Amino acid sequence: MTRYIQRHSLLTRVTHGVAAITCILLAVTGLFVFWPELGGSIMGGEFTYWMRMLHRVFAIPFILVPLYAVFKSPKGAAHLFKEDIFGKWDKDDYKWAMLFPFYLFAPSKIHMPPQHHVKSAQRLADGALVFFCIIMALTGLVLWLNTGLLPNGGMKVAFSDEVLLWARMLHDIFFCLTVIVGIAHIYLGAGIFQPYRGTARIMFGDGKVSESDALYHWGYWANEELTTGKNVTIEKRAE
C-alpha cells in the first residue's frame, strides 16, 4: 500500500491537456500560415488553405478553455499567478535554480534542495509560457479579425498596416519562443528526463503523485500535504 497525494484537480488537468494538445496542433498548422510555400510545394494550395482554417479552429479551445477555467475557479487562477508563478523565492529556490543546469547532466550526483508546490525554475518557464500564449492569442485574434472571423470574410475588422505588422512580428517571435520553451517543458513533463520518469501521469492521469515522488520533487509541499492529510489517500496499485 502506498500513500498518494492529489496534486492537480480535474479542471487543472483538463485545461492543461487542452492547452498542450491545441498548442502542438497550432504549431503544426501555424507552419503553413508562417510559410505558405511549404504546403504548396508538398500538397498543393488547397492543403495550405485547410491548414490555415484548422489553425483558426484550434485557436478557439486554446483561448476559450483557459478562460473558462479562470472564471470557473478564480481562486485557483489567483493562486497560479500569486504563488506558482510570482511566489517569493527562498534560499532553496535560488539554490535549486543554480544547480539545475548541472542536475540535467548528472542527476544521480547532484542533491537538489526541497521545493514548494512549483519548483523555482519551473515558475520562470510556466510564467514565460503563459505570457507567450497570451501574446500569441491577442496578436492572432488581431490577424484573424483582419481577414474576417468567418470563412467567407464575414465579421471583418480592418486594422492599420502598422498594427498588422506588429501583430505578425510579435506572433511569429512568440511562436518561436513558445516552441523552444515548450520542447524543454515536454522533455521534463513527459518524463523523458529520467528523474522525471512517470510524472506525466500526474497531469494526464488522475492527478495523484506517490509519497516518495512527491517528497523527491516537491519536499516542502509534500510534507505540508502529508501533515494535513486532506489530499492524501492510501492505495494499492500495480506498477
Side-chain angles (χ1 to χ4, degrees), residues 35-46:
W35 189 10
E37 295 81 6
L38 178 65
S41 62
I42 297 176
M43 302 293 291
E46 186 174 350

Side-chain angles (χ1 to χ4, degrees), residues 55-174:
H55 191 70
R56 300 180 181 187
V57 171
F58 295 141
I60 296 172
F62 177 75
I63 295 173
L64 293 184
V65 171
L67 286 177
Y68 169 79
V70 169
F71 287 106
K72 178 69 175 179
S73 179
K75 290 184 178 179
H79 184 273
L80 170 67
F81 285 96
K82 185 177 179 180
E83 301 294 336
D84 290 348
I85 294 179
F86 296 108
K88 185 177 180 180
W89 288 27
D90 57 27
K91 62 179 182 179
D92 283 330
D93 288 323
Y94 286 106
K95 184 178 180 181
W96 196 96
M98 289 187 291
L99 289 174
F100 184 65
F102 305 100
Y103 177 67
L104 282 173
F105 294 99
S108 62
K109 298 180 180 180
I110 304 296
H111 176 70
M112 302 297 280
Q115 289 289 278
H116 300 279
H117 185 253
V118 177
K119 299 172 183 177
S120 56
Q122 185 184 345
R123 295 180 211 170
L124 297 176
D126 289 352
L129 280 175
V130 170
F131 178 69
F132 296 167
C133 289
I134 290 174
I135 296 298
M136 284 196 299
L138 293 175
T139 54
L141 189 58
V142 168
L143 296 172
W144 189 357
L145 286 170
N146 188 70
T147 58
L149 277 175
L150 303 178
N152 61 2
M155 299 180 68
K156 181 178 179 179
V157 178
F159 293 95
S160 67
D161 291 340
E162 184 177 4
V163 170
L164 292 175
L165 176 64
W166 276 103
R168 290 192 187 97
M169 183 175 67
L170 290 174
H171 199 74
D172 293 344
I173 289 174
F174 284 98

Side-chain angles (χ1 to χ4, degrees), residues 157-226:
V157 178
F159 293 95
S160 67
D161 291 340
E162 184 177 4
V163 170
L164 292 175
L165 176 64
W166 276 103
R168 290 192 187 97
M169 183 175 67
L170 290 174
H171 199 74
D172 293 344
I173 289 174
F174 284 98
F175 163 77
C176 295
L177 291 174
T178 301
V179 169
I180 294 172
V181 178
I183 290 173
H185 185 74
I186 292 172
Y187 176 68
L188 298 174
I192 300 172
F193 182 48
Q194 195 281 327
Y196 287 69
R197 197 66 48 82
T199 54
R201 292 177 297 181
I202 303 172
M203 192 61 83
F204 289 97
D206 59 7
K208 296 179 181 179
V209 58
S210 67
E211 177 182 1
S212 58
D213 284 346
L215 288 169
Y216 176 79
H217 289 289
W218 310 279
Y220 288 130
W221 169 79
N223 281 318
E224 290 174 1
E225 292 292 334
L226 291 169

